[in-house]
Amino acid sequence: MRCIGMVSLAFLGVVGVCLGQVAIESNLIMPQSRRAVYMPGSNGNLIEITAVNAEIDIFDQIATTTIVVSVKNNTNRIQESQMLLPVPEGAVIRGFSFEGPGGEITAKILPADKAKVIYNSIVSKMKDPALLEFAGYNLIKSSVFPIEPNKTQKVKIIYESLLESRTGRVDYILPRSESLEYNIPWNFKVKIRTSKGNIATAYSSGHNFELKRIKNNEVLLISKETTAKAPGAFRLSYLPEVTNNMQLKVSATIYCYPDTSVGGGYFMVLAGLPAKKVENIKREVTLVIDKSGSMNGQKIEQVKNAALQIISGLDEGEAFNIIAYQNTVEMLSKQPLIKNKETQQRAREFISNIKAIGGTNIYDAMTTALEQKPIGDNRLPVVLFLTDGLPTVGNTSEKEIRELVTKNNPYKRRVFTFGVGTDVNSPLLSGIADKSRARCDFVLPDENIEVKVADMFNSLSGPILTEPKVLVVDNKGNGANELVSDLLPGDLPDMYENDQLVLLGRYSDSDKDLNIIIEGDYQGKKTRTTFNFDRSKANTKNSFVPRLWASRQIGQLTDAIRQMGADASVTANDPKVKELIDEIVRLSIKFGIMTEYTSFLATEGNMPVMAMDGMGMGMSGMGMDSISKEATENYQRRALSTRSGGGGGGYGGKNSRNNSQYGSINQDKNIALQKGQTKLNYDNRYYDANMNRVSVSTVQQINDMAFYRNGNRWTDSSLAATEKKNDDKLKVDVTIEFGSDEYMELIETLTKMNRQGALALKGEILMKIGDKVILVKEAK
């Protein structure tokens, strides 16, 4: 007996079929009574994919993709599998083979129109909409036999494709599901080479990589383990380097997403530095060490070791100073010192004499670090500021300490802050770093201070472009910044070796020809790069752009509320705070982005969505007044009131309380991640008050839409009634039965809009297309 199974590689569906002796080609169209459906994760799977390894070799614009699929047979019989793999247009098969004992194996590529027939057949016969995400793609259809009983067979697929080059970049895509139910681990390894010129940078909107530069024209990217189960298409772009022998040039490209509701749409600028080694800007590093009594023991010893390591790691010609503080402030030198054998010995002696005793005078220590006169010109002034406690001596005002970096920082020092332990004012340390183009980090009780400080210092190697700015001009060079808005980040960070810049914003509907200029300081001289702001290539396939913008905007607004908490008289009911909270809630609902303050919206039954009643479609869930009240209480209790350590309430509702020691630190880590977000966060993962990473499964971001689950229904976020009252009724214009002719027409319509993935959701789907409200019934 020969058992045949179909495995959809790009999605999660696994179908096992035991047909007896029938032709392979007929296995997808048998009567329903003769087939059995099994989903991954259940113990009864006949055939399942357990892992996928993808190696992609890109040479200029030619990509060779090698995919190795581990297919497991969970039965006591020999099985045959049929795999379906969506691929980009123009893909050509170069190989298809077993890794192991040979057998029968076939594969062919079906163009999009014929692939559609296969998709529709599976959807209609198996009542499973999963493959609809890939309508519009070509399809590799393969048959594999045998898969031995209770064994795992590895299948290798190799195909080539020609990559598209546009607006200064080369794009690669490997279609994969955006469904949160997708849990098969994928590992990616990508080699990029160019025949002419160098590679400036590489970017993926959904996956984190470790980038290794082999040569100036060759890079290797290896996906990190944390991203193995990340859903969504694997998208990768690389930027060829802009060459100019006269001055440093930044390579840049732009992605645009059209949206008339905000004027023109959203855009993302991606920029990278030259691959060729250039002369780095010298650094001037000031170490500011908390030696209060609470630092006694292992903490102070780790800090002292870190200080020695940093001084040793400075290059010739770079400068340093050391400040130690408790009740009072002590300095190694009144002015930074150039590194040499003599000054290194002075530093070692100063560090060895540091003893932990006394209180914490953060204000005077910060003032001393900022006001010291630099030595020489053209050095980047950096401060590494460590503390393990709250300000207890001198001026202890959070607001006045934070404002030092903007009002009393004559030499524009970048202040990188470290909170050691949990009894620190985390929004203060985050605010100091943010306002000075720097970063903040926290050393938790089970972490090593020396390692954390060394990692930060190593990331600051080779500053190349300082104080970068972005300007928008017309073709005559006249300023046109009024045609873009809400740029994030507002102040661009300095760029170090291997850094890339990701800038997001919105553009108007103006038809003016525009250019973007990226300028900054290099070795004391101004340098600028100009490239075309081409909105004609705006595409709804760039749906990651508005979602990344919205996530950053939510982080920015949350941080503004957090910093307002420095003034104890400010409450969440103040109009200026309430306005920010309402905007955060609006963006959260529209884009399906949950945070620790708004995650209550993801609880089934809370989101104000449309539900059936005897009179038609009525409102279900919390009213907007209740949502606003809940969000306001969360922001009051946590963002405004919790400044350090634990307490500050929980996430589940107004009666929830949390006494975690991390109740403040987790907030500022979440905010920093959102403000600097460059990758999609499909499952809305964030740190809770216990520093655990938690996620949301009842909100689905798919294509450029967001859906909320309530029972067996998914509701389009545009129908989550942010402006409707509980007694409002909603008329359903069209009800469509699963698998009907109208259903197939809807697939066509959504495919043209790049929204076909919405139909892959399991259950009823309520969505708005144009001005029509459509209810798609679940498969029976």
Side-chain angles (χ1 to χ4, degrees):
M1 176 174 285
R2 193 174 191 178
C3 295
I4 305 174
M6 186 281 286
V7 181
S8 167
L9 178 59
F11 196 69
L12 52 84
V14 176
V15 179
V17 188
C18 185
L19 300 177
Q21 309 218 357
V22 297
I24 297 173
E25 290 297 322
S26 69
N27 77 91
L28 291 179
I29 53 174
M30 55 266 348
Q32 185 171 349
S33 60
R34 305 239 355 235
R35 71 184 166 74
V37 180
Y38 300 83
M39 299 305 294
S42 67
N43 294 327
N45 288 356
L46 291 183
I47 303 172
E48 64 178 326
I49 296 174
T50 57
V52 183
N53 292 311
E55 291 196 12
I56 300 141
D57 192 320
I58 299 174
F59 183 67
D60 291 334
Q61 287 180 244
I62 302 295
T64 302
T65 302
T66 302
I67 297 177
V68 178
V69 188
S70 296
V71 184
K72 185 178 181 182
N73 178 1
N74 292 319
T75 75
N76 295 321
R77 298 177 180 179
I78 293 177
Q79 296 280 348
E80 177 175 6
S81 71
Q82 190 161 89
M83 291 194 297
L84 305 177
L85 174 64
V87 293
E89 183 178 358
V92 178
I93 295 177
R94 294 302 184 204
F96 197 96
S97 62
F98 279 141
E99 285 194 356
E104 299 175 23
I105 186 166
T106 62
K108 59 183 177 180
I109 287 188
L110 302 177
D113 56 343
K114 292 186 178 180
K116 181 179 72 173
V117 175
I118 297 292
Y119 293 145
N120 291 349
S121 174
I122 295 170
V123 169
S124 297
K125 302 298 181 183
M126 298 184 173
K127 307 301 180 185
D128 184 355
L131 286 170
L132 292 179
E133 263 189 279
F134 308 106
Y137 282 104
N138 290 358
L139 177 70
I140 292 180
K141 178 185 177 185
S142 68
S143 178
V144 181
F145 178 83
I147 306 176
E148 297 294 333
N150 297 305
K151 299 287 186 181
T152 297
Q153 178 68 270
K154 290 188 177 181
V155 181
K156 180 186 289 187
I157 305 166
I158 304 173
Y159 67 87
E160 286 185 356
S161 54
L162 178 64
L163 306 185
E164 187 172 359
S165 176
R166 63 177 78 193
T167 59
R169 70 177 186 271
V170 176
D171 293 335
Y172 172 92
I173 184 169
L174 198 165
R176 295 171 69 248
S177 173
E178 291 187 285
S179 172
L180 293 179
E181 296 179 51
Y182 189 82
N183 61 0
I184 298 169
W186 283 62
N187 295 303
F188 294 94
K189 184 178 180 180
V190 185
K191 181 190 288 185
I192 305 174
R193 296 169 295 149
T194 57
S195 58
K196 297 179 181 179
N198 300 328
I199 298 170
T201 193
Y203 170 78
S204 172
S205 61
H207 294 78
N208 290 309
F209 282 91
E210 178 185 356
L211 188 150
K212 297 180 180 179
R213 191 172 289 280
I214 310 302
K215 302 175 183 176
N216 288 340
N217 68 332
E218 181 177 343
V219 296
L220 181 66
L221 298 94
I222 300 175
S223 61
K224 295 183 179 180
E225 186 176 349
T226 54
T227 201
K229 292 188 177 181
F234 174 64
R235 298 178 183 274
L236 180 73
S237 300
Y238 79 86
L239 273 62
E241 182 178 300
V242 175
T243 57
N244 188 308
N245 295 326
M246 301 300 295
Q247 60 175 321
L248 177 140
K249 285 286 185 179
V250 175
S251 301
T253 186
I254 190 164
Y255 304 79
C256 292
Y257 172 91
D259 187 348
T260 56
S261 70
V262 297
Y266 298 85
F267 71 92
M268 185 184 94
V269 173
L270 172 67
L273 294 169
K276 186 178 180 181
K277 190 75 174 179
V278 297
E279 184 180 355
N280 296 330
I281 300 171
K282 300 296 185 183
R283 296 167 297 184
E284 175 200 284
V285 179
T286 299
L287 282 159
V288 184
I289 299 172
D290 181 350
K291 64 169 188 172
S292 61
S294 56
M295 286 288 291
N296 193 34
Q298 186 180 34
K299 286 194 287 188
I300 196 66
E301 293 305 317
Q302 288 181 359
V303 169
K304 290 163 71 172
N305 289 336
L308 292 170
Q309 192 176 28
I310 288 170
I311 301 302
S312 176
L314 291 171
D315 295 331
E316 291 298 322
E318 294 191 309
F320 70 91
N321 204 352
I322 304 172
I323 296 172
Y325 70 98
Q326 30 108 327
N327 296 343
T328 57
V329 179
E330 299 174 357
M331 301 178 70
L332 167 65
S333 171
K334 293 295 183 183
Q335 193 175 12
L337 305 169
I338 299 295
K339 176 189 173 182
N340 56 43
K341 289 183 178 179
E342 179 184 346
T343 55
Q344 278 188 274
Q345 181 58 33
R346 285 181 61 184
R348 283 192 287 269
E349 292 174 359
F350 182 87
I351 291 168
S352 67
N353 290 325
I354 292 177
K355 300 291 187 290
I357 188 173
T360 308
N361 191 341
I362 291 178
Y363 186 92
D364 285 354
M366 184 68 68
T367 300
T368 302
L370 297 176
E371 290 184 345
Q372 59 177 332
K373 187 176 180 180
I375 181 169
D377 298 322
N378 298 333
R379 287 187 178 86
L380 181 68
V382 172
V383 175
L384 302 181
F385 194 100
L386 291 89
T387 182
D388 79 331
L390 307 173
T392 58
V393 177
N395 188 338
T396 60
S397 167
E398 177 184 338
K399 183 179 179 181
E400 292 183 28
I401 294 173
R402 186 183 70 227
E403 288 178 346
L404 285 173
V405 293
T406 56
K407 295 183 177 180
N408 194 36
N409 189 6
Y411 306 109
K412 298 182 180 179
R413 284 188 161 84
R414 281 69 166 160
V415 184
F416 293 83
T417 55
F418 296 86
V420 180
T422 60
D423 191 25
V424 295
N425 187 319
S426 58
L428 169 61
L429 298 180
S430 296
I432 288 171
D434 189 59
K435 294 298 183 183
S436 62
R437 296 181 186 264
R439 300 191 299 274
C440 173
D441 204 354
F442 298 97
V443 187
L444 302 180
D446 59 345
E447 295 179 323
N448 187 292
I449 302 171
E450 184 178 351
V451 171
K452 275 293 187 83
V453 176
D455 286 347
M456 178 76 84
F457 176 72
N458 291 335
S459 73
L460 304 180
S461 62
I464 295 176
L465 190 69
T466 62
E467 299 193 33
K469 296 177 182 177
V470 169
L471 306 173
V472 179
V473 299
D474 61 23
N475 281 345
K476 296 181 179 180
N478 299 316
N481 281 353
E482 70 277 4
L483 300 180
V484 298
S485 61
D486 300 310
L487 300 184
L488 298 169
D491 294 323
L492 303 183
D494 300 320
M495 297 184 71
Y496 298 82
E497 281 185 1
N498 295 322
D499 270 358
Q500 60 181 208
L501 169 67
V502 176
L503 174 72
L504 292 135
R506 302 197 290 193
Y507 61 89
S508 75
D509 59 357
S510 169
D511 58 359
K512 273 189 178 182
D513 288 334
L514 298 177
N515 293 312
I516 287 183
I517 297 173
I518 299 177
E519 67 176 23
D521 291 335
Y522 172 66
Q523 295 287 14
K525 298 179 181 178
K526 287 285 185 184
T527 181
R528 58 167 45 192
T529 302
T530 303
F531 65 99
N532 184 242
F533 190 164
D534 185 3
R535 286 99 75 210
S536 66
K537 301 287 181 65
N539 195 317
T540 53
K541 289 184 178 180
N542 294 330
S543 58
F544 62 91
V545 174
R547 207 176 306 277
L548 287 177
W549 175 86
S551 188
R552 282 194 180 185
Q553 181 75 337
I554 289 171
Q556 192 76 26
L557 297 176
T558 300
D559 187 46
I561 295 172
R562 192 99 167 100
Q563 296 303 326
M564 289 180 187
D567 183 346
S569 67
V570 174
T571 72
N573 287 311
D574 288 352
K576 58 185 178 182
V577 180
K578 195 68 172 60
E579 182 182 12
L580 299 182
I581 294 174
D582 289 344
E583 177 63 5
I584 290 170
V585 169
R586 186 189 71 81
L587 291 172
S588 296
I589 292 175
K590 177 180 178 179
F591 290 96
I593 298 171
M594 301 292 105
T595 68
E596 59 185 291
Y597 313 101
T598 59
S599 60
F600 67 91
L601 290 170
T603 301
E604 289 194 53
N606 279 358
M607 177 57 65
V609 296
M610 302 303 163
M612 275 289 195
D613 61 20
M615 302 291 291
M617 297 297 295
M619 286 300 302
S620 171
M622 300 174 68
M624 288 308 300
D625 289 344
S626 298
I627 286 176
S628 179
K629 181 180 179 183
E630 181 84 1
T632 300
E633 289 177 351
N634 285 345
Y635 274 97
Q636 176 63 59
R637 185 169 57 248
R638 296 191 49 70
L640 290 170
S641 299
T642 304
R643 315 305 289 174
S644 66
Y651 303 92
K654 62 183 180 181
N655 296 319
S656 176
R657 291 293 182 269
N658 194 307
N659 295 317
S660 167
Q661 61 179 329
Y662 306 119
S664 180
I665 291 174
N666 81 293
Q667 295 186 69
D668 292 291
K669 287 183 75 71
N670 288 331
I671 290 170
L673 288 171
Q674 277 199 293
K675 288 172 62 177
Q677 189 172 329
T678 60
K679 317 288 182 188
L680 292 173
N681 182 16
Y682 280 101
D683 59 356
N684 283 297
R685 197 169 292 266
Y686 61 86
Y687 288 103
D688 69 7
N690 296 308
M691 289 301 293
N692 297 316
R693 294 284 275 171
V694 298
S695 59
V696 175
S697 62
T698 54
V699 179
Q700 174 70 66
Q701 303 169 2
I702 195 161
N703 301 140
D704 62 352
M705 306 175 77
F707 289 85
Y708 294 86
R709 189 176 69 200
N710 187 10
N712 197 38
R713 172 177 292 162
W714 289 95
T715 301
D716 180 353
S717 65
S718 67
L719 298 176
T722 55
E723 297 179 0
K724 294 181 174 63
K725 298 178 181 178
N726 282 357
D727 58 354
D728 282 348
K729 298 294 179 184
L730 181 74
K731 179 178 178 289
V732 174
D733 298 295
V734 181
T735 298
I736 296 178
E737 294 293 333
F738 182 93
S740 64
D741 290 343
E742 292 81 7
Y743 185 84
M744 298 306 171
E745 291 176 6
L746 181 60
I747 295 173
E748 292 285 335
T749 299
L750 293 175
T751 300
K752 293 175 182 177
M753 300 171 68
N754 293 312
R755 289 182 166 181
Q756 64 271 32
L759 293 182
L761 296 169
K762 303 280 195 261
E764 287 191 343
I765 304 167
L766 187 66
M767 61 197 308
K768 189 174 184 180
I769 304 298
D771 60 353
K772 301 290 186 183
V773 176
I774 298 173
L775 177 64
V776 181
K777 303 294 286 186
E778 183 182 17
K780 297 179 181 179

